[in-house]
């Protein structure tokens, strides 16, 4: 039987892409995981979530285990609305959809907005799983470079002007991670956020704002683009994965109600009622502002440990952005293909993600790599960078 003959044409095209997660290295035992964009294991509130499960089942018995789940699911929506309001995003209930993590939110948006003729614009570099999603729906993807101030909106305008002038299709939406971007850790300035909104109106495209790290500033959280969106141009995607627990799969989309209705149409009952009910109980009892302060303190300290060890151990030719929050530091090693270096790094017991996976054209990312300071402890971070520095220095010496 020819299984492929049963697939639709768009699925056949999507299956020609690299498989999801191809960028993830196989880690040897005891490896220092500077590749993992995961929360610090000590900060995942396992005890509190266990207590939330017990309270939920004691009070509601079998109810949270049915298809419709607990009435607390509606309360979770209200809790997220409240948190969004505290960040300047004022929305009605019908303008919010709870999703199974941010990735489901991004995939649903791609599903209702993209087809094989649609154009989507992305930052360069950008989140590799978002690239994987968009490539399942369209081959027409345009990359706009970023710098230490976020996406270069003047370059975006040049591209839009050129496409409009020559009659080419304009983007349906632009995907951006404006705060503590993955992979670069950079944050878009307020001036560029405003300019991006102005361009979305002038050239009639939407903005998909991925705000997964937006509450993890080392100082004051940046205002989301959605908080200054007066025309309904922004579909705001958020998540509790980075601030509570990724395995709970709690995310959301905030946007105009017409978009939310269409998204609900295709999401249907692809929910996790038990996880949503448990999260609602957890949030009922958590001092969330206090928790965020703890997360910021820990990640600030770990980021400082990473930056200081890089200054001490990496060769002078290596450069990086210093983030103001989030999980990541973006590193450039001139003249070195970091994907070729990775096997040696793994043999030395350290991991990272080669930069090429964050680019539409992977040749643009050969000299880059992403380090994460979120998962490993400070002692491991320092030792990992020391080993990496020795490896890079040896590699550069061989090249010269």
């Amino acid at each position: 039987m020819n299984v492929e003959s049963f697939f639709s044409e768009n699925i056949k095209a999507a299956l020609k892409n690299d498989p999801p997660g191809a960028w993830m290295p196989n880690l040897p035992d005891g490896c220092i995981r500077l590749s993992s964009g995961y929360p610090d294991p000590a900060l995942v509130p396992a005890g509190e979530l266990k207590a939330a499960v017990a309270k939920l089942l004691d009070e509601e018995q079998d109810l949270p285990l049915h298809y419709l789940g607990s009435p607390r699911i509606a309360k979770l929506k209200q809790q997220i609305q409240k948190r969004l309001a505290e960040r300047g995003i004022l929305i009605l209930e019908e303008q919010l959809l709870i999703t199974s993590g941010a990735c489901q939110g991004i995939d649903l948006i791609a599903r209702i907005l993209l087809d094989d003729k649609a154009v989507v614009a992305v930052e360069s570099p950008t989140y590799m799983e978002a690239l994987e999603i968009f490539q399942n729906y369209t081959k027409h993807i345009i990359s706009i470079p970023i710098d230490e101030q976020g996406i270069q909106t003047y370059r975006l305008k040049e591209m839009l002007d050129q496409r409009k002038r020559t009659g080419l299709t304009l983007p349906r939406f632009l995907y951006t991670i404006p705060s503590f971007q993955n992979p670069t850790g950079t944050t878009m300035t307020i001036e560029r956020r405003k300019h991006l909104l102005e361009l979305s109106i002038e050239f009639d495209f939407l903005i998909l704002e991925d705000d997964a790290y937006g509450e993890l500033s080392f100082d004051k959280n940046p205002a989301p683009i959605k908080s200054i969106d007066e025309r309904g141009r922004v579909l705001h995607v958020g998540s509790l994965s980075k601030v509570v627990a990724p395995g709970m799969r709690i995310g959301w989309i905030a946007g105009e109600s017409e978009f939310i209705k269409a998204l609900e149409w295709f999401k249907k009952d692809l929910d996790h009622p038990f996880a949503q009910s448990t999260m609602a109980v957890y949030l009922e009892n958590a001092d969330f502002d206090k928790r965020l302060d703890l997360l910021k303190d820990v990640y600030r300290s770990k980021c400082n440990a990473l930056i200081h060890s890089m200054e001490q151990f990496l060769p002078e030719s290596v450069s990086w952005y210093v983030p103001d929050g989030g999980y990541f530091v973006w590193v450039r090693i001139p003249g070195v293909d970091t994907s070729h270096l990775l096997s040696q790094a793994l043999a030395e017991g350290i991991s990272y993600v080669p930069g090429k996976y964050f680019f539409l054209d992977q040749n643009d990312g050969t000299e880059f790599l992403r380090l994460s300071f979120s998962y490993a402890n400070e002692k491991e971070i320092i030792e990992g960078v020391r080993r990496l520095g020795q490896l890079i220095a040896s590699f550069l010496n061989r090249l010269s």
Side-chain angles (χ1 to χ4, degrees), residues 79-279:
Q79 290 164 329
I80 290 172
Q81 274 182 271
K82 181 175 181 293
R83 292 216 58 79
L84 290 175
E86 290 172 358
R87 302 188 62 213
I89 300 176
L90 306 176
I91 53 171
L92 302 173
E93 182 179 349
E94 60 265 27
Q95 294 175 314
L96 181 67
L97 178 68
I98 306 300
T99 61
S100 298
C103 269
Q104 187 192 45
I106 294 169
D107 188 76
L108 284 169
I109 290 169
R111 186 171 183 181
I112 71 162
L113 296 182
L114 298 180
D115 53 38
D116 59 2
K117 295 180 179 62
V119 176
V120 60
V122 300
E123 296 168 327
S124 183
T126 191
Y127 177 40
M128 62 286 217
E129 292 193 31
L131 274 180
E132 290 173 350
I133 289 170
F134 301 147
Q135 288 173 322
N136 285 339
Y137 294 92
T138 182
K139 299 302 179 189
H140 307 296
I141 302 175
I142 301 170
S143 295
I144 308 299
I146 68 167
D147 57 25
E148 66 275 7
Q149 298 180 39
I151 190 169
Q152 297 178 18
T153 52
Y154 63 92
R155 296 279 294 272
L156 172 62
K157 183 174 181 357
E158 289 173 358
M159 178 274 289
L160 294 167
D161 279 331
Q162 191 272 337
R163 293 185 76 86
K164 187 173 184 179
R165 187 170 58 251
T166 56
L168 294 174
T169 304
L170 293 173
R172 194 73 53 83
F173 66 81
L174 178 138
Y175 171 73
T176 178
I177 311 170
S179 300
F180 323 123
Q181 199 241 20
N182 181 3
T184 66
T186 57
T187 296
M188 193 188 304
T189 62
I190 186 62
E191 292 78 16
R192 289 192 184 179
R193 292 176 194 234
K194 291 177 179 177
H195 190 206
L196 181 57
L197 276 170
E198 291 167 2
L199 292 175
S200 74
I201 296 166
E202 180 181 353
F203 292 94
D204 194 26
F205 63 88
L206 300 172
I207 298 168
L208 198 176
E209 177 183 27
D210 185 344
D211 196 43
Y213 305 92
E215 291 188 290
L216 290 177
S217 169
F218 300 151
D219 188 15
K220 183 179 179 182
N221 292 330
I225 301 175
K226 184 65 178 171
S227 69
I228 55 173
D229 172 28
E230 298 178 353
R231 302 287 189 91
R233 290 277 166 181
V234 179
L235 288 162
H236 175 92
V237 172
S239 171
L240 293 177
S241 293
K242 306 300 184 289
V243 294
V244 181
M248 296 296 291
R249 308 313 301 138
I250 305 296
W252 60 84
I253 304 169
E256 293 299 292
S257 57
E258 291 84 358
F259 288 128
I260 298 301
K261 286 177 186 175
L263 292 162
E264 283 184 314
W265 187 278
F266 289 96
K267 177 173 174 283
K268 297 186 289 188
D269 62 349
L270 299 177
D271 270 323
H272 293 288
F274 186 72
Q276 291 183 21
S277 307
T278 300
M279 185 62 75

